[in-house]
Amino acid sequence: MTKTLLTGTALAASLAASIAVASPGHGDEDGIGEPGDAAQIDRTIIVEMDEMSFSPETIEVAPGETIRFEVVNVGRAVHEFNIGTSETWDGHRGEMRTMMREGMMTMRSINHDRMMEAGMMHDDANSALLEPGDTDEVIWTFPEGGEIGFACNVPGHREAGMVGDFRMGHES
């Protein structure tokens, strides 16, 4: 029992360490904006995730605008709405593969207990990871400019075209 507990603890520690190194896909240090203040929301946009698409695929935003995204998974598989860039998503790829390989998620479900054991709750402000039928929100304040979009980083989904764009407009 003690050996199993120590082995499990070592596995969780090594997973947490590898995830910490491979998680640049979740943060505002990348020039993608920052978590928004719920009291400062300018508007709400509903984003639906289906098999391998977002609706809408393009969203116009203004610099400094704070948007509440109501993210709904209307598909049959686990999907993620992640605000970022190709660079941040590429950095996040290893983390998502580890989550799949280690049983923290499957194509149809998320195992929150396994995620907690590994010290990886996937609760970043710029992202919502949802099982089929689930809804969550992301409140985000946009930067002055840049090439920012949204993608599903579940292994194979972004590669299949599950990506959307933010079109930076003028301040209102």
Side-chain angles (χ1 to χ4, degrees):
M1 171 78 170
T2 303
K3 184 177 181 181
T4 302
L5 181 60
L6 289 173
T7 302
T9 303
L11 174 63
S14 71
L15 273 173
S18 69
I19 288 168
V21 170
S23 65
H26 289 187
D28 61 331
E29 71 278 358
D30 301 309
I32 61 171
E34 61 188 18
D37 179 350
Q40 302 295 319
I41 294 171
D42 295 305
R43 62 187 165 127
T44 297
I45 297 173
I46 297 171
V47 176
E48 291 185 341
M49 302 183 291
D50 201 342
E51 268 60 69
M52 300 299 158
S53 65
F54 290 100
S55 179
E57 291 180 0
T58 302
I59 299 171
E60 186 150 343
V61 298
E65 183 176 27
T66 298
I67 298 176
R68 176 184 172 267
F69 294 98
E70 183 179 323
V71 185
V72 184
N73 185 348
V74 298
R76 296 181 313 265
V78 168
H79 290 298
E80 180 187 44
F81 173 81
N82 180 271
I83 298 171
T85 64
S86 291
E87 192 173 272
T88 62
W89 301 323
D90 288 345
H92 185 44
R93 181 180 296 147
E95 178 181 8
M96 296 297 281
R97 286 185 179 152
T98 297
M99 289 171 59
M100 189 74 78
R101 183 178 60 246
E102 300 298 329
M104 291 177 231
M105 70 176 184
T106 67
M107 291 308 288
R108 302 219 189 271
S109 66
I110 301 167
N111 186 328
H112 296 284
D113 291 339
R114 291 287 314 252
M115 291 171 84
M116 198 152 30
E117 287 170 9
M120 207 323 255
M121 282 310 303
H122 203 278
D123 59 357
D124 300 287
N126 67 321
S127 188
L129 180 65
L130 302 174
E131 290 181 337
D134 284 352
T135 299
D136 199 358
E137 71 177 21
V138 173
I139 300 173
W140 201 252
T141 299
F142 286 85
E144 292 302 313
E147 303 258 338
I148 304 163
F150 48 98
C152 178
N153 291 301
V154 171
H157 292 201
R158 180 168 63 111
E159 296 80 1
M162 197 166 178
V163 180
D165 294 310
F166 291 116
R167 185 175 307 134
M168 292 300 215
H170 299 291
E171 282 189 69
S172 314

